[in-house]
C-alpha cells in the first residue's frame, strides 16, 4: 500500500476555506508533511495571506465558493490538481422557525452550492487528465445524525454526504475510478472558528440559539488539533477508504444512524448535555 506522501507528495492541493480550522490544518499538513503545493482559497484574504507566508509552496487566492465563476477561474489558474478539498462551510444556531431567511440562503449557498461549484469547475479537468487525483467533500458527524438547533447545517451535511456518494457512483459509471478518487470527509470535533462565526437568530428564541452556541464552544475545548486531523484523513485516503473520519465516535454515529433507519425509530433528543466523546 502506498503512503500518503507517495500518493500526494509531488502534487497540488486546492483547499477552499483554507483560512482557518480544518482547511488550514489540511494546508499545513499537505505543505509541510507531504511536500505538496497548496492553493489556499478563501473569502478571508488576510487569513490566507498570513498562511501563505508561513508555508513553503503556497498560493493564496481570494475566492467565494458561492460564485461559480470564481471556482472556474480558480480551476483554470491552478494547473493539474492532485487534490481538491471542498471544505468551506458555515454553521447556524437556533430553532429552524426562527432562522433568518438570509442566513438559510447563505448557508445553503456555501455548504451545498459551494461544493457543487467546486465539482463543476474541477471534475471535468480531472476526468480528462490521466494522472491520479482525489476529490474530498466536507460532510460531518452531523451528516449521519440529527441534532436540534442547527437544522440548516445538519441538513447541508447530509446533502454533501449524499452528493459525494452519488458522485462516486457517477465517476464509476463514467469509467474513471482508475484515476479519479472521490472521498467523503466526516470530521467529529476539530478545533476551528466555526462556532464563533456561526449565524445567530435575531428574533424568536435567541437564548436557545446562544445557549447552543455556548454548548458547542464547550465541546470545542476537547476538539482534535486540525493538523492531527489532517494526518488521519490523508492516511485513510491513501488506504483507499471512502469515508474519512477523524475520531471513532464518528463511526459510532454512522452505526447508530444505520440502526435508527433499520428499526425505523423516530428521532429523539440526545440524552443529557450535548457532548461528543473525544478519542
Ligand atoms: N470543526 C469541526 O469540528 C467540524 C466538524 C464537522 C464538519 N466540519 C466541516 O469542516 C469544514 C471546515 O470547517 P471549520 O470547522 O474548519 O470552520 P472554520 O470556520 O474554522 O473555517 C471555515 C473557513 O471557510 C471560509 N469560508 C466561509 N465562507 C466562505 C465562502 N463563501 N467561500 C470561501 N471560503 C469561505 C472561512 O473564511 C473560514 O476560513 C466545514 O465544511 C464544516 O462543516 C467541521
Amino acid at each position: 500500500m502506498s503512503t500518503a506522501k507517495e500518493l500526494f507528495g509531488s502534487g497540488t492541493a486546492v483547499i477552499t476555506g483554507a483560512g482557518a480550522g480544518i482547511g488550514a490544518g489540511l494546508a499545513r499538513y499537505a505543505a509541510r508533511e507531504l511536500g505538496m503545493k497548496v492553493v489556499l482559497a478563501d473569502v478571508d484574504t488576510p487569513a490566507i495571506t498570513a498562511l501563505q507566508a508561513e508555508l513553503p509552496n503556497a498560493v493564496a487566492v481570494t475566492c467565494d465558493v458561492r460564485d461559480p465563476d470564481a471556482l472556474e477561474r480558480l480551476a483554470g489558474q491552478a494547473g493539474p490538481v492532485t487534490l481538491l478539498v471542498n471544505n468551506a462551510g458555515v454553521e447556524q444556531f437556533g430553532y429552524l422557525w426562527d432562522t433568518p431567511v438570509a442566513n438559510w440562503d447563505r448557508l445553503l449557498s456555501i455548504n451545498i452550492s459551494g461544493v457543487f461549484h467546486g465539482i463543476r469547475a474541477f471534475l471535468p479537468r480531472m476526468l480528462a487528465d490521466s494522472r491520479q487525483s482525489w476529490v474530498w467533500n466536507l460532510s460531518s458527524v452531523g451528516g449521519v445524525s440529527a441534532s436540534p438547533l442547527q437544522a440548516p447545517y445538519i441538513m447541508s451535511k447530509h446533502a454533501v454526504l449524499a452528493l459525494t456518494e452519488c458522485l462516486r457512483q457517477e465517476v464509476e459509471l463514467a469509467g474513471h475510478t482508475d484515476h479519479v478518487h472521490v472521498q467523503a470527509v466526516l470530521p467529529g470535533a476539530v478545533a476551528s472558528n466555526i462556532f464563533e462565526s456561526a449565524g445567530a437568530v435575531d428574533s424568536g428564541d435567541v437564548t436557545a440559539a446562544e445557549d447552543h452556541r455556548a454548548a458547542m464552544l464547550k465541546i470545542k475545548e476537547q476538539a482534535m488539533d486540525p493538523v492531527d486531523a489532517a494526518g488521519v484523513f490523508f492516511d485513510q485516503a491513501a488506504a483507499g477508504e471512502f469515508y474519512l473520519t477523524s475520531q471513532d465516535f464518528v463511526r459510532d454515529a454512522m452505526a447508530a444512524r444505520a440502526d435508527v433507519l433499520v428499526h425505523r425509530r423516530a428521532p429523539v433528543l440526545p440524552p443529557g448535555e450535548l457532548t461528543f466523546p473525544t478519542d
Side-chain angles (χ1 to χ4, degrees), residues 125-245:
R125 291 171 165 91
M126 289 174 160
L127 297 174
D129 187 330
S130 60
R131 278 172 280 207
Q132 297 291 310
S133 59
W134 284 259
V135 180
W136 296 359
N137 295 332
L138 265 288
S139 178
S140 167
V141 64
V144 292
S145 50
S147 190
L149 299 167
Q150 45 181 332
Y153 177 79
I154 296 291
M155 178 201 69
S156 74
K157 294 296 149 180
H158 279 253
V160 170
L161 186 59
L163 176 154
T164 309
E165 290 168 339
C166 296
L167 181 66
R168 167 69 182 73
Q169 292 174 324
E170 291 188 8
V171 169
E172 182 175 353
L173 186 65
H176 296 288
T177 41
D178 58 329
H179 68 110
V180 178
H181 312 280
V182 176
Q183 291 161 323
V185 185
L186 287 80
V190 178
S192 78
N193 295 339
I194 197 164
F195 302 137
E196 287 88 341
S197 60
V201 303
D202 43 26
S203 62
D205 198 339
V206 175
T207 307
E210 291 311 318
D211 283 354
H212 195 63
R213 184 195 302 274
M216 298 304 279
L217 283 167
K218 221 172 149 206
I219 290 171
K220 184 181 147 179
E221 288 167 15
Q222 307 152 347
M224 193 172 185
D225 177 84
V227 176
D228 293 344
V232 170
F233 296 141
F234 271 106
D235 286 346
Q236 291 174 359
E241 297 194 26
F242 175 78
Y243 299 100
L244 313 183
T245 56

Side-chain angles (χ1 to χ4, degrees), residues 16-23 41-44 63-66 87-90 106 110 138-141 153 157 187-194 197:
T16 69
I22 292 176
D42 203 299
V43 282
D44 188 344
C63 174
D64 188 334
V65 298
R66 288 173 289 185
N87 165 73
V90 293
R106 176 170 176 272
I110 296 171
L138 265 288
S139 178
S140 167
V141 64
Y153 177 79
K157 294 296 149 180
V190 178
S192 78
N193 295 339
I194 197 164
S197 60

